[in-house]
Amino acid sequence: MPLVGACSGPQIVDALTPRSGYTVATGLPFADDPRLRLDLYRPDRPAPGAPTVVFFYGGNWETGDKGMYRFVAQALTSRGYSVAIPDYRLYPQVRYPDFLRDSAAAVAWVRRHGAEHGAQPGPVAVMGHSAGAYNALMLAMDRRWLAEQGLDPARDLRAAVGLAGPYDFLPLQSDMLKDLFGPEKTRPDTQPITHVAAPLPPLFLATGTADETVLPRNSRNLAAKAREVGGSVRTVEYDGIGHIRIVAALAAPLRWLNPVLDDVDGFLKSLPETGS
């Protein structure tokens, strides 16, 4: 699920990603654990009314580093969004639901303190790829995690964006995932699709038809369930795109792969404005 292998390696992608158009504050602490830091990117030209985006990276909940995803921040800041990219604790240091609590703490910090560092104020959009999309959509679906931070998805989330996310992936196949998500009898509670209930923030769910890591049915099933309860859902399936290329296409040198940046931008800018 990490970016490695998407093209010639993350170092090349990073080297080809523009370093202009934004400023960044790195290593901002949002909780006590030394890993729980985020990087906050602020566009030189903010888009009026655009939400700050909190992006969670993938990596099967066992790998990843916020520094690898500057290409995502550059893509979104080029369209006028402030972007926060947090680290969260990984397996085997933690198991479900600790990484969700970390993700909720990051959102709460951005919601409360992001504007002090130049981010756009108001409800935020959560976004993620792969395992990070799971984190983002669980915060939107299962109110427990933001509630622990004194937040409410209906009030504090402007939208949720998932790229190739696992939302309905039982039964678990690997021993690592079985250990990560706990006893079989409680695993349904770990699935975003289990927690779909109104009201929901607007959803954007994208997948690739050639994704063999997280099957497209995850997005299709979640979208159908959200629509059943009256949710607003926009779905996109990119023909012939696999698991890594859907997020790699956010990188400046790889945007020819698919129009995911245009689609996410169009979705976010179509949202009704809300108060702070």
Side-chain angles (χ1 to χ4, degrees):
M1 291 187 191
L3 180 63
V4 175
C7 55
S8 299
Q11 295 84 4
I12 294 177
V13 170
D14 186 69
L16 295 175
T17 296
R19 295 183 179 273
S20 60
Y22 62 85
T23 57
V24 58
T26 60
L28 299 172
F30 62 87
D32 290 338
D33 189 279
R35 179 167 170 82
L36 300 184
R37 304 288 186 267
L38 61 82
D39 295 342
L40 184 61
Y41 295 78
R42 303 172 306 281
D44 292 349
R45 297 182 178 180
T52 292
V53 177
V54 183
F55 177 83
F56 299 102
Y57 53 74
N60 204 37
W61 300 281
E62 59 183 343
T63 64
D65 180 272
K66 58 185 173 57
M68 294 173 60
Y69 291 86
R70 187 177 65 86
F71 74 95
V72 174
Q74 188 279 325
L76 293 169
T77 55
S78 76
R79 302 299 177 93
Y81 301 94
S82 296
V83 183
I85 303 184
D87 279 328
Y88 52 95
R89 290 174 296 168
L90 302 171
Y91 178 85
Q93 180 189 359
V94 299
R95 290 162 175 78
Y96 172 89
D98 289 333
F99 47 83
L100 293 177
R101 291 193 165 103
D102 295 346
S103 300
V107 169
W109 187 95
V110 173
R111 183 73 172 93
R112 292 172 177 141
H113 303 290
E116 299 168 13
H117 296 265
Q120 289 131 307
V124 305
V126 290
M127 176 178 174
H129 169 247
S130 194
Y134 169 95
N135 293 5
L137 270 294
M138 274 295 274
L139 296 187
M141 300 290 152
D142 188 346
R143 294 172 176 83
R144 289 177 293 179
W145 314 118
L146 287 178
E148 289 183 357
Q149 298 290 330
L151 302 183
D152 180 350
R155 181 189 67 230
D156 296 295
L157 296 187
R158 187 91 168 269
V161 175
L163 307 180
Y167 315 121
D168 181 20
F169 55 101
L170 296 181
L172 302 181
Q173 300 299 318
S174 75
D175 289 340
M176 175 267 175
L177 289 177
K178 291 174 183 177
D179 187 37
L180 179 70
F181 286 105
E184 185 173 1
K185 65 180 180 180
T186 62
R187 287 177 195 158
D189 190 57
T190 71
Q191 302 294 291
I193 199 166
T194 300
H195 300 282
V196 175
L200 295 171
L203 307 180
F204 178 91
L205 302 176
T207 187
T209 63
D211 193 337
E212 297 181 355
T213 301
V214 175
L215 299 179
R217 68 173 180 81
N218 283 267
S219 294
R220 295 168 188 162
N221 291 355
L222 185 65
K225 187 74 170 180
R227 288 172 178 141
E228 286 177 7
V229 302
S232 173
V233 189
R234 186 176 299 182
T235 58
V236 179
E237 294 193 9
Y238 299 110
D239 189 42
I241 294 297
H243 191 66
I244 297 302
R245 289 189 174 192
I246 194 170
V247 68
L250 290 170
L254 296 174
R255 288 180 193 155
W256 56 271
L257 287 171
N258 65 65
V260 63
L261 178 58
D262 289 340
D263 291 341
V264 170
D265 181 38
F267 165 74
L268 291 175
K269 287 181 177 160
S270 74
L271 299 172
E273 292 195 27
T274 63
S276 61

